[in-house]
Amino acid sequence: MSTPILVTGGTGTLGRLVVARLQDAGCAVRVLSRRSHASAEDIEFVTGDLATGEGIEAAVKGAEIIVHCAGSSKGDEDKAVTLIRAASGSGIGHLVNISVVGADRIPLASGIDRAMFGYFGSKLAAERAVADSGLPWTTMRATQFHDLVLMVARQMARLPVIPVPSGIRFQPVDAGEVAARLAELALGEPAGLVPDMAGPRVYGMADLLRGYLQAHRKRRLLMPVRLPGRAARAMRSGANLAPDRAVGHRTWEEFLAERIS
């Protein structure tokens, strides 16, 4: 049996798609998850927790490549450090990391700002941990996935009047397209920080919400709200966008149409 590729967060939105792409390429895959799963014939599931370190050394043992897809709204640096510590003594030849466009351009958030934009600082800290790890590495930044925008839109649409951050735009990208690129990077040579990956169009937050509401035949009043703070100001300036890297193909409208059908 060939050496397995370990995918952290391999049951999540991005991770499960990366797993599928690697399997399509004929790779043996090992999936790290916090919950136990029955291993299938062509995939091995291992249980471990990057927040506590439990099970991580066993998870990385015997793997030559790691694709790090596990992430959350906070604690990404600590989880990356936990993974790196386990991987450093196990002969890992390539650590592939997913980050977010704007991680290096959105100022560290504080106070109220942190709840909405602290994610960018957490991802940047994880990036630095990977770059300083001594392991051969590749990091790619992507814009927000359609799936995340959909989740936020669903939550906001529960309100009769929706407060919409004014001036803030997004460039959502298809998670499947990002997964395909990560799998390609994992099977290539370590490349450091590679070019960003962004969706084909830039949308105002209000436009994304209107698209969701129209697709579901819902009516809501949208109320513009100007968010305070340096992080929000950076977002309004487009720090989270990559218009010169609009390499994704699937649009928000196409994603919504498929989900509704």
Side-chain angles (χ1 to χ4, degrees), residues 19-259:
V19 168
R21 299 306 186 279
L22 291 171
Q23 287 180 301
D24 290 344
C27 302
V29 182
R30 178 184 296 167
V31 170
L32 173 65
S33 175
R34 288 180 298 168
R35 299 176 181 84
S36 60
H37 296 263
S39 292
E41 182 178 347
D42 56 349
I43 185 170
E44 176 190 4
F45 286 92
V46 293
T47 305
D49 191 338
L50 287 168
T52 65
E54 183 179 359
I56 304 305
E57 287 190 7
V60 303
K61 187 176 181 180
E64 185 176 350
I65 299 169
I66 298 175
V67 184
H68 182 39
C69 297
S72 61
S73 59
K74 60 181 180 179
D76 275 5
E77 179 184 13
D78 292 340
K79 291 173 184 176
V81 169
T82 297
L83 180 64
I84 289 163
R85 284 175 180 163
S88 295
S90 63
I92 294 296
H94 192 184
L95 173 58
V96 181
N97 178 51
I98 181 69
S99 188
V100 61
V101 170
D104 59 334
R105 299 194 296 265
I106 307 292
L108 292 177
S110 61
I112 298 175
D113 226 11
R114 184 179 296 276
M116 294 192 66
F117 305 118
Y119 173 74
F120 290 91
S122 180
K123 278 297 186 185
L124 180 61
E127 280 187 26
R128 289 171 174 167
V130 169
D132 294 340
S133 67
L135 298 170
W137 61 278
T138 300
T139 287
M140 184 181 77
R141 295 168 178 158
T143 51
Q144 284 70 35
F145 301 152
H146 291 131
D147 306 77
L148 175 62
V149 177
L150 177 61
M151 181 183 71
V152 172
R154 280 175 175 162
Q155 293 173 344
M156 296 178 78
R158 294 173 182 172
L159 301 171
V161 178
I162 304 177
V164 182
S166 60
I168 291 181
R169 296 161 294 157
F170 293 95
Q171 194 175 352
V173 67
D174 183 67
E177 293 175 357
V178 174
R181 178 60 177 147
L182 282 180
E184 180 183 32
L185 290 169
L187 298 177
E189 295 296 319
L193 184 63
V194 300
D196 296 342
M197 186 168 185
R201 297 181 187 173
V202 175
Y203 301 83
M205 188 66 199
D207 294 326
L208 292 168
L209 285 167
R210 288 191 190 100
Y212 172 82
L213 293 170
Q214 290 172 2
H216 288 271
R217 298 180 181 178
K218 295 183 178 181
R219 292 181 179 273
R220 297 289 188 274
L221 178 64
L222 304 185
M223 181 177 67
V225 176
R226 188 174 181 84
L227 298 178
R230 293 190 306 148
R233 185 162 58 249
M235 292 282 285
R236 285 192 292 272
S237 73
N240 61 314
L241 306 176
D244 58 334
R245 290 296 303 162
V247 295
H249 299 285
R250 197 179 187 199
T251 66
W252 171 239
E253 292 82 2
E254 290 168 342
F255 170 81
L256 280 177
E258 182 177 304
R259 283 300 176 95

Side-chain angles (χ1 to χ4, degrees), residues 1-26:
M1 183 176 179
S2 60
T3 303
I5 296 176
L6 174 65
V7 180
T8 72
T11 58
T13 298
L14 176 64
R16 61 183 173 79
L17 296 172
V18 171
V19 168
R21 299 306 186 279
L22 291 171
Q23 287 180 301
D24 290 344

